[in-house]
Amino acid sequence: KNPFPLQKISDGKPKVYLEVAIFRGSFFGVDHQGVLEFELCPEAAPKAAQSFFEDCAAGRLRDCAFRHVSSETAALPAALTTDEPETGKGLSHNAAGMLSASRSGGGRVLTLQGALGLDRSRVAFGRLLRGAEMLPKIAGCCPIDGVLVREARIVSCGEVLKRSVSREREPVRPRRSCSCSGSASRSRSPGRRQKRRQR
């Protein structure tokens, strides 16, 4: 049974996106906004990947804020589907932009830098494909002296549908000069007229 019913197996690994906005207080509006696109790896952590995919595809993470932001991780909104203990081996937390879940289920975080120490108690189930420029901005939402000055909030989420593969454009071949071709055609035309008159 395919655990990702919204995508065909032939489409490869499922992909989801989070559109994140950085708010600076309720009166100053949005400082930054961008899209994080992730590739989920169900072969590494099937239950965590399925739960996150379902929450994103159904739009359940919309209008939810990142919590407990530090220079290393940012806690994602709690799972709104039933999370079960993860039995998969998981990916390594060796880079920024890894999606991670607790082995006991739930407790999802986004790594903002490499954090190999998380490999002991957590499983990474997805990796960032696009939007790395937003990670430092999310890390900048750490509380200052216990006061939350900026907030990173998910304003939209969903499934990344398979992109249509566009054909590669053929190299442009150099065109012959119009003046040359025109002069050649003109030089041949009088001869043709004389032959026609002789006939």
Side-chain angles (χ1 to χ4, degrees):
K1 184 180 178 181
N2 180 18
F4 303 99
L6 299 181
Q7 288 190 333
K8 298 178 181 179
I9 298 176
S10 60
D11 288 346
K13 294 182 179 179
K15 297 179 179 64
V16 296
Y17 75 90
L18 302 175
E19 185 176 1
V20 178
I22 308 298
F23 291 90
R24 183 164 56 92
S26 57
F27 299 102
F28 297 99
V30 177
D31 274 354
H32 306 282
Q33 189 164 343
V35 175
L36 306 176
E37 183 178 325
F38 298 94
E39 175 186 68
L40 303 183
C41 302
E43 75 283 357
K47 295 178 180 179
Q50 178 177 353
S51 173
F52 192 76
F53 177 83
E54 291 176 355
D55 282 345
C56 285
R60 299 189 185 109
L61 305 181
R62 188 180 297 120
D63 200 29
C64 294
F66 286 86
R67 300 170 292 109
H68 309 299
V69 179
S70 68
S71 60
E72 189 175 81
T73 61
L76 287 155
L80 301 178
T81 54
T82 303
D83 268 344
E84 301 178 11
E86 182 55 68
T87 56
K89 184 178 179 181
L91 306 171
S92 175
H93 299 78
N94 60 353
M98 303 299 293
L99 293 171
S100 173
S102 171
R103 291 189 181 275
S104 59
R108 301 186 295 212
V109 300
L110 169 66
T111 63
L112 303 177
Q113 58 179 288
L116 293 175
L118 298 178
D119 288 346
R120 304 171 191 172
S121 58
R122 309 185 63 85
V123 289
F125 59 90
R127 60 171 64 92
L128 185 68
L129 296 179
R130 295 195 306 167
E133 67 279 359
M134 284 297 295
L135 298 183
K137 296 176 175 58
I138 296 175
C141 295
C142 298
I144 301 175
D145 296 330
V147 179
L148 187 64
V149 179
R150 288 181 173 84
E151 181 185 63
R153 181 171 289 272
I154 299 170
V155 296
S156 179
C157 64
E159 172 195 9
V160 177
L161 300 177
K162 184 179 179 182
R163 296 184 177 89
S164 58
V165 180
S166 58
R167 296 180 179 178
E168 294 184 0
R169 298 182 62 182
E170 296 182 358
V172 179
R173 296 178 180 177
R175 298 178 62 182
R176 293 181 179 179
S177 173
C178 295
S179 59
C180 295
S181 58
S183 60
S185 60
R186 292 191 188 100
S187 62
R188 289 194 298 266
S189 57
R192 292 179 181 177
R193 291 176 183 176
Q194 291 178 359
K195 290 181 180 179
R196 288 177 183 176
R197 291 176 181 176
Q198 291 176 359
R199 290 178 184 176

